[in-house]
Amino acid sequence: MKRVVLYPFNKITQGLLRFRDLLDVEIVSVIDFVQEDGQDAGEQVDGKRAGILIHRSMEEGLIGADTLILNDPGTTFGGNKGIFAEHDLAGLWRELVMYASDRGLRVVSVHEIYDRDTLSWMAEQQIKIDVVHSPREHLIQEMDERYSTCETDIERYLEQFEKEALMFSRPRTIKRVGIFATRGCIGKFTVQMNLYRKFRAWGIPATAFITEPTGFLFRQPEGDIFKFLAHRPLQQYPYYIDSVIHQAERSGSEWIIMAGQSSILPTMNIAFNSLRYAMLRAFDPEFVLLIAGYDDDLHIQDAIDILRIYSRRPLALLLPDKMETSYGQYEIYPHEQRTARKLELEQKFQIHVLFIEQAEETMNLLLDAANAVPAGSGM
């Protein structure tokens, strides 16, 4: 897997394009059946031409590639039902997979494929799609050694109290940054990887714990919950997080940066809420960054309160430069609006406010906060 084509042009693809300098592969092109043909993908992501074009044609898009990387499983993943139905994206996904397979390309999915119709179709067509997991066999092995499991559900439930006490009693020397948001799709991954890149540029050893399903492409530990659930039960996920932190410490990292999944605020789904707060408690960030929208002050206060209760009050609020409104569509905020909102938030919440793209300023804020913490204080 050296020269890859990405499908489709969505937020995961854009993340790979934005941080392609950190990847182990070369992106040849992007295939998308909704976007305008022939656009420069880099220009669409950050305004800078990259020579990586968006193609509607499968034939043109796959020229010169050895691997097709799918970041959509061919269903209505992500809730874009209208777009999928209008363009028959599920059908086109299958055509693309068949076309690439027939031409000898390796087909890789970053997502775990669990849709039964899709799995049945793959079996009927004898199609092989690799679901690549971040190299973590050693992490799973360490997790099993540190947190062995009992046989019955009752034993496992009662055993969790003992295991969690053990997890929190172990000293951690690595500095932990948690990035959260008042809503989804407003830049958590962007902030995480910008910070990771900046730490690397300054020669500061750091690890990015990536909850997107693309960690393997960056050679960083991956925490995508669907991939984890394909192999292990949900209640073991906090132990996996602890193992990731421990491994990062042993590798020499001084910092580990994690971006939470979706919003930090509660939903009507009890399982998602449990996972969200289990992740927060298990990671136990020393330094918290909260990305906030432009019209959600009540949500900001709720998020600050939740973080204060389960972790720590945010060190800073971060303002995005744009927000996704629909599939491939964004509302872009002008500088004047962002500046006014920054001053408003600073006055209302008495907290540092930075723009999402200010990676160096954010890193300096973290370094100053770390230097201000007395050794052995736990915070």
Side-chain angles (χ1 to χ4, degrees):
M1 187 164 58
K2 295 181 180 179
R3 292 172 55 82
V4 306
V5 172
L6 307 179
Y7 170 84
F9 187 65
N10 62 9
K11 75 181 190 75
I12 291 180
T13 303
Q14 292 173 26
L16 295 175
L17 285 160
R18 189 185 302 274
F19 300 106
R20 59 190 179 276
D21 58 305
L22 301 175
L23 296 174
D24 280 341
V25 297
E26 177 187 355
I27 301 172
V28 175
S29 66
V30 179
I31 293 177
D32 191 282
F33 302 117
V34 177
Q35 296 290 323
E36 182 180 340
D37 189 61
Q39 298 180 91
D40 187 286
E43 198 167 47
Q44 296 303 307
V45 170
D46 56 16
K48 301 175 183 177
R49 292 189 63 83
I52 301 171
L53 300 184
I54 301 173
H55 296 281
R56 287 195 174 189
S57 164
M58 301 178 195
E59 181 180 2
E60 292 181 8
L62 293 175
I63 291 174
D66 56 47
T67 304
L68 170 65
I69 295 182
L70 307 166
N71 59 76
D72 188 280
T75 62
T76 54
F77 194 94
N80 299 296
K81 295 183 179 180
I83 296 291
F84 270 75
E86 179 184 351
H87 297 274
D88 186 27
L89 293 184
L92 288 170
W93 181 90
R94 294 186 179 188
E95 287 184 32
L96 175 59
V97 170
M98 287 282 290
Y99 188 88
S101 297
D102 289 345
R103 280 149 187 80
L105 274 75
R106 182 185 182 191
V107 182
V108 170
S109 175
V110 300
H111 291 288
E112 193 72 35
I113 299 175
Y114 53 86
D115 177 70
R116 292 184 179 180
D117 288 341
T118 302
L119 292 170
S120 296
W121 173 80
M122 289 168 55
E124 291 169 3
Q125 300 297 325
Q126 297 184 328
I127 292 289
K128 180 183 179 183
I129 299 178
D130 296 326
V131 179
V132 179
H133 298 80
S134 181
R136 64 182 185 195
E137 289 79 8
H138 62 292
L139 290 172
I140 295 293
Q141 181 179 354
E142 178 177 323
M143 181 184 75
D144 288 341
E145 291 172 355
R146 289 158 70 92
Y147 302 104
S148 59
T149 57
C150 295
E151 294 299 323
T152 68
D153 287 341
I154 292 177
E155 286 177 316
R156 281 194 291 269
Y157 174 74
L158 294 174
E159 195 180 47
Q160 280 187 258
F161 295 99
E162 180 182 342
K163 289 178 178 177
E164 288 167 8
L166 176 64
M167 182 165 62
F168 292 118
S169 68
R170 289 193 176 106
R172 291 171 169 177
T173 58
I174 193 169
K175 303 173 196 62
R176 303 173 303 284
V177 181
I179 301 163
F180 306 98
T182 56
R183 62 179 75 187
C185 301
I186 58 173
K188 295 185 298 296
F189 179 74
T190 299
V191 171
Q192 177 188 34
M193 297 307 287
N194 270 332
L195 277 174
Y196 172 64
R197 178 195 274 160
K198 189 61 66 174
F199 274 117
R200 282 169 50 108
W202 279 48
I204 300 173
T207 294
F209 179 35
I210 298 175
T211 56
E212 297 278 4
T214 53
F216 70 98
L217 291 168
F218 295 98
R219 288 195 179 276
Q220 293 298 296
E222 189 175 271
D224 178 70
I225 190 60
F226 290 100
K227 286 185 178 179
F228 185 83
L229 288 176
H231 301 278
R232 292 303 176 101
L234 184 61
Q235 64 264 28
Q236 292 187 14
Y237 190 64
Y239 310 144
Y240 176 69
I241 293 174
D242 184 57
S243 299
V244 168
I245 295 170
H246 187 244
Q247 193 278 334
E249 281 186 327
R250 289 191 306 181
S251 72
S253 285
E254 298 175 9
W255 293 78
I256 183 168
I257 309 161
M258 183 193 77
Q261 294 174 305
S262 188
S263 165
I264 191 63
L265 297 172
T267 69
M268 296 299 291
N269 188 299
I270 295 174
F272 279 4
N273 292 338
S274 299
L275 173 65
R276 184 173 291 120
Y277 301 126
M279 173 184 285
L280 180 58
R281 291 298 297 130
F283 189 74
D284 190 26
E286 292 178 270
F287 309 102
V288 173
L289 303 172
L290 177 64
I291 306 175
Y294 285 76
D295 56 357
D296 56 356
D297 285 12
L298 291 178
H299 289 163
I300 293 171
Q301 186 59 59
D302 288 344
I304 290 174
D305 289 341
I306 287 170
L307 289 165
R308 177 180 52 82
I309 293 168
Y310 286 94
S311 178
R312 291 173 176 85
R313 192 174 190 273
L315 179 65
L317 299 179
L318 302 181
L319 274 174
D321 56 347
K322 62 182 179 180
M323 192 174 298
E324 188 174 25
T325 57
S326 182
Y327 184 86
Q329 298 180 7
Y330 296 86
E331 181 179 359
I332 299 174
Y333 300 103
H335 181 73
E336 294 77 11
Q337 181 182 0
R338 300 180 76 201
T339 301
R341 179 62 170 159
K342 178 179 183 294
L343 293 173
E344 179 184 22
L345 290 176
E346 287 173 339
Q347 292 172 0
K348 183 167 187 176
F349 294 103
Q350 296 297 301
I351 194 170
H352 291 288
V353 180
L354 294 167
F355 295 142
I356 199 171
E357 67 273 17
Q358 291 182 298
E360 186 164 333
E361 290 86 345
T362 305
M363 183 188 69
N364 286 334
L365 186 65
L366 290 166
L367 293 174
D368 289 344
N371 290 331
V373 175
S377 69
M379 172 49 198

